[in-house]
Amino acid sequence: MRGRRAIDFRKLLEDEESVVEREIRRREADWSFINSLNPRLMWAVKLFIEKGDLRLAQHMSGLDLEDFIEVLRSARVPVFITVIKEP
Amino acid sequence: MMICSIDTCFLIDWSKYSGRDLLKRLFDYGFVVDEVLEEVKSENTLAYLSSLLAEGFLVIYPFKREIEPIVRAVVDTSARDPRVRTLDPPEAYALAIGIREGAVVLTENRGVMNIVRLYPEFSATVWRSYEILRRGYELTFISNFEEELRRYERETGHRFQKAIGR
């Protein structure tokens, strides 16, 4: 429909923490390292950066949890982020 | 008596922290399931896990079959609700133990946090490393909270980020 913007309902499901976490992952990631990985790992790491879902991305990578975490650390992607909400 | 239930992600992160003995000052003992034991592979995490088991602080949860209906309900709910990241068995068992035994669930998994927040039937106390460090500070086991957070970040690669209201 011309002149009207579609609502991205996925964004309504996102909380503030998810947005903050994704920005940190995107900012700190070593993108040249990530782009040099084999396609399966590269897309698994990118999936983690965008979604922050460690289990989902780990399954996609085909690696065990700790091996996948090591790949994320090599790619300088923070694995665990806590967003602190102060009253 | 304070009991905890530990999942894999928490264990991997916490094991890198030099002040990790704080756990034994806050809790009398903790439960773990074999799914967590099977997932741990790195030398550092294995050494930590092994020491906790050897000291008798960690106990393999003995009533696993009894909590399987809770685990199934937790996993089903997490898969159906897009607001909750789908939980894998190690996290689901840790949460089910928390629900069943009144143990504090130690996890870094957002799915666990969200399912507890959104579904009253899965009521449990969930702590991340942040809440553990804060509790340690409240009980004066930690003298400078901010400094301890920075130390935890340096040693584990964890990030603590203050939220900016939007």
Side-chain angles (χ1 to χ4, degrees), chain A residues 17-76:
Chain A
E17 286 103 316
S18 300
V19 176
V20 172
E21 288 174 11
R22 182 169 55 234
E23 282 169 4
I24 293 170
R25 288 191 296 269
R26 281 178 179 170
R27 190 176 62 234
E28 296 195 15
D30 179 345
W31 288 99
S32 57
F33 175 82
I34 292 167
N35 288 323
S36 73
L37 294 168
N38 72 56
R40 175 175 284 277
L41 270 184
M42 178 185 72
W43 287 110
V45 171
K46 287 182 176 178
L47 176 64
F48 177 71
I49 289 171
E50 290 306 305
K51 293 273 288 177
D53 189 331
L54 184 58
R55 286 297 187 182
L56 184 65
Q58 177 223 332
H59 287 307
M60 188 175 171
S61 75
L63 298 178
D64 291 330
L65 183 63
E66 283 206 279
D67 289 338
F68 183 58
I69 286 174
E70 274 314 303
V71 172
L72 292 173
R73 289 197 166 125
S74 300
R76 298 184 178 280

Side-chain angles (χ1 to χ4, degrees), chain B residues 19-112:
Chain B
R20 61 196 187 185
D21 277 355
L22 175 64
L23 216 55
K24 291 185 278 184
R25 303 178 82 176
L26 297 181
F27 297 99
D28 295 285
Y29 68 96
F31 285 122
V32 71
V33 291
D34 43 14
E35 274 79 358
V36 172
L37 304 189
E38 286 162 14
E39 269 200 313
V40 170
K41 284 182 67 180
S42 74
E43 193 174 340
N44 184 62
T45 318
L46 280 169
Y48 180 53
L49 180 59
S50 173
S51 70
L52 292 178
L53 288 164
E55 290 161 4
F57 176 79
L58 266 189
V59 179
I60 309 286
Y61 187 68
F63 310 114
K64 210 174 133 193
R65 286 181 65 182
E66 293 177 21
I67 58 169
E68 274 168 9
I70 305 174
V71 171
R72 187 179 177 94
V74 163
V75 174
D76 278 352
T77 306
S78 72
R80 267 196 270 270
D81 189 335
R83 297 171 299 174
V84 180
R85 289 171 187 163
T86 304
L87 299 184
D88 268 26
E91 291 89 40
Y93 274 110
L95 175 56
I97 293 168
I99 294 167
R100 170 71 181 266
E101 307 294 341
V104 178
V105 183
L106 306 184
T107 183
E108 294 293 343
N109 187 300
R110 178 76 75 73
V112 175

